């Protein structure tokens, strides 16, 4: 595996691969790699000749400076994992290398960014789009791999591809969970032991919601999830004053991402949630239909 930290060097490696008519799979990450990331990489490995994995904590997608400062950075361990996972190129640029000039581009995505993460993280999706486009320009992938854990991000990248008309196949990969159901996330490392023990209740509540959806209305299921998490610490007393603070739970059309009030419709239904626990913002999603 090649470890590359310069954009020109990546462009050169990509040009050589293109000369050999090799297909390229790109997996963008912010590092602190776990099995969720590795599932994307193993899928990319199966489907492409050259697998490029970027490890870059993208400052312009953080609307919260504390979150950026505390984001786990484990580049050496990441490179070891990437080598084992069969990546061909680990691209680990500095911020200056990725953004030699201040970033002036702003992307707009219409209704799909006006829900869920969008209003709560101003500038986030534009920052994601800027880095993803930069990575697309450098790696020129045939396929790009993204996780459904960041469900809205997939819709944003799909929309970006329509805007810039790049012939890249977006491959959406299912969420990888810990044995107790918690969606794997780099931010889980920041949970205290007690908070980590409490966190699986998020997915358990989502699973109960899926069961309820057989018999109950959308609004009732939505309210149930919020109430169950908000009152969790009252029903199950916790050490350290731990409690869930849901930021949102929305049941939306799986394609338009707009909130729905019926289970039936042209498209499927997904439930997306953001919850604060122990000073860490966790997100998750489930599919209803
Ligand atoms: P991140 O490093 O958090 O930006 O994530 C990089 C990519 O890995 C994104 O496309 C995420 O959606 C995906 N990802 C993160 N966690 C998981 C997970 N638990 N299961 C599947 N994909 C994931």
């Amino acid at each position: 595996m090649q470890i590359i930290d310069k954009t020109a060097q990546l462009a050169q490696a990509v040009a050589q691969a293109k000369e050999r008519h090799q297909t390229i799979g790109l997996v963008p990450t912010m590092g602190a790699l776990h099995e969720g990331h590795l599932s994307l990489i193993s899928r990319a490995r199966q489907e492409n000749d050259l697998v490029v994995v970027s490890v870059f904590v993208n400052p312009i997608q953080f609307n919260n400076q504390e979150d950026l400062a505390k984001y786990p950075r484990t580049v050496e361990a990441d490179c070891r994992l990437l080598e084992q996972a069969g990546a061909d190129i680990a691209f680990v640029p500095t911020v200056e290398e990725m953004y030699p000039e201040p970033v002036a581009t702003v992307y707009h995505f219409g209704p799909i960014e006006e829900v869920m993460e969008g209003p709560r993280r101003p500038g986030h999706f534009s920052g994601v789009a800027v880095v993803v486009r930069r990575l697309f320009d450098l790696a020129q992938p045939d396929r790009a791999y993204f996780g459904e854990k960041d469900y809205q991000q997939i819709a944003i990248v799909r929309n970006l591809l329509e805007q810039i008309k790049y012939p890249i196949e977006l491959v959406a990969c299912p969420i990888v969970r810990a044995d107790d159901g918690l969606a794997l996330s780099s931010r889980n490392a920041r949970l205290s032991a007690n908070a980590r023990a409490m966190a699986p209740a998020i997915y358990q509540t989502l699973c109960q919601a899926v069961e309820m959806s057989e018999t109950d209305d959308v609004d009732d299921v939505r309210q149930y999830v919020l109430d169950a998490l908000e009152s969790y610490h009252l029903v199950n007393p916790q050490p350290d004053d731990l409690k869930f603070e849901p930021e949102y739970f929305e049941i939306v059309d799986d394609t338009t991402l707009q909130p729905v009030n019926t289970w039936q419709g042209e498209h499927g239904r997904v439930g997306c949630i953001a919850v604060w626990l122990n000073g860490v913002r966790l997100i998750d999603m489930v599919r209803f239909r």
Side-chain angles (χ1 to χ4, degrees):
M1 183 181 78
Q2 253 185 303
I3 300 177
I4 293 181
D5 60 3
K6 296 283 183 275
T7 53
Q9 214 186 330
L10 176 61
Q12 196 185 4
V14 165
Q16 283 167 1
K18 297 267 172 196
E19 269 171 31
R20 288 183 234 118
H21 303 288
Q22 292 185 315
T23 56
I24 299 175
L26 171 69
V27 184
T29 84
M30 297 203 299
L33 299 180
H34 51 66
E35 290 291 333
H37 298 113
L38 297 181
S39 73
L40 273 55
I41 295 161
S42 88
R43 177 96 188 256
R45 181 69 286 163
Q46 286 164 32
E47 297 177 350
N48 302 277
D49 299 317
L50 188 84
V51 175
V52 179
V53 182
S54 59
V55 175
F56 178 62
V57 181
N58 177 33
I60 64 167
Q61 75 183 67
F62 283 78
N63 55 309
N64 177 331
Q65 289 311 301
E66 192 187 338
D67 190 26
L68 173 60
K70 289 192 178 165
Y71 202 85
R73 289 164 168 86
T74 58
V75 177
E76 281 174 21
D78 289 346
C79 286
R80 282 195 295 275
L81 281 173
L82 290 178
E83 175 111 55
Q84 287 164 15
D88 297 298
I89 295 177
F91 178 52
V92 292
T94 60
V95 174
E96 295 71 29
E97 185 67 19
M98 278 299 266
Y99 302 127
E101 311 283 335
V103 175
T105 315
V106 179
Y107 286 97
H108 298 286
F109 298 98
I112 58 168
E113 70 173 342
E114 283 158 19
V115 294
M116 304 193 286
E117 297 288 299
R120 287 150 182 114
R121 303 189 68 187
H124 168 67
F125 286 127
S126 183
V128 168
V130 167
V131 78
V132 167
R133 184 182 186 161
R134 183 114 179 83
L135 291 168
F136 284 170
D137 286 338
L138 290 166
Q140 295 183 42
D142 297 275
R143 299 179 192 84
Y145 296 80
F146 291 87
E148 285 194 332
K149 176 167 158 307
D150 300 270
Y151 193 79
Q152 195 171 2
Q153 174 170 277
I154 290 184
I156 294 285
V157 175
R158 189 164 283 131
N159 187 297
L160 173 72
L161 282 171
E162 283 164 17
Q163 290 188 36
I164 62 182
K165 299 191 169 55
Y166 285 9
I168 297 172
E169 182 189 340
L170 190 165
V171 182
C173 303
I175 299 186
V176 177
R177 299 179 180 281
D179 289 343
D180 58 18
L182 179 65
L184 296 185
S185 164
S186 307
R187 289 184 178 87
N188 293 352
R190 289 175 41 208
L191 295 170
S192 68
N194 287 330
R196 177 64 189 78
M198 183 176 169
I202 299 168
Y203 182 57
Q204 285 159 13
T205 306
L206 294 179
C207 291
Q208 276 158 14
V210 172
E211 263 182 48
M212 267 181 85
S213 72
E214 299 295 328
T215 49
D216 290 53
D217 291 342
V218 171
D219 273 347
D220 293 339
V221 172
R222 183 176 169 278
Q223 200 55 51
Y224 162 77
V225 168
L226 292 170
D227 291 348
L229 289 172
E230 266 160 17
S231 63
Y232 186 84
H233 63 290
L234 303 174
V235 182
N236 310 275
Q238 295 293 318
D240 312 330
D241 287 334
L242 285 172
K243 53 175 176 258
F244 290 120
E245 291 169 280
E247 208 170 80
Y248 66 81
F249 172 63
E250 296 285 1
I251 298 172
V252 301
D253 179 298
D254 70 0
T255 306
T256 67
L257 298 197
Q258 299 310 295
V260 295
N261 48 30
T262 59
W263 295 116
Q264 285 71 41
E266 189 191 340
H267 303 132
R269 268 57 172 135
V270 295
C272 298
I273 193 164
V275 194
W276 286 91
L277 173 64
N278 187 216
V280 182
R281 189 173 185 274
L282 301 173
I283 62 170
D284 202 345
M285 64 81 69
V286 280
R287 194 169 278 285
F288 286 99
R289 293 279 188 286

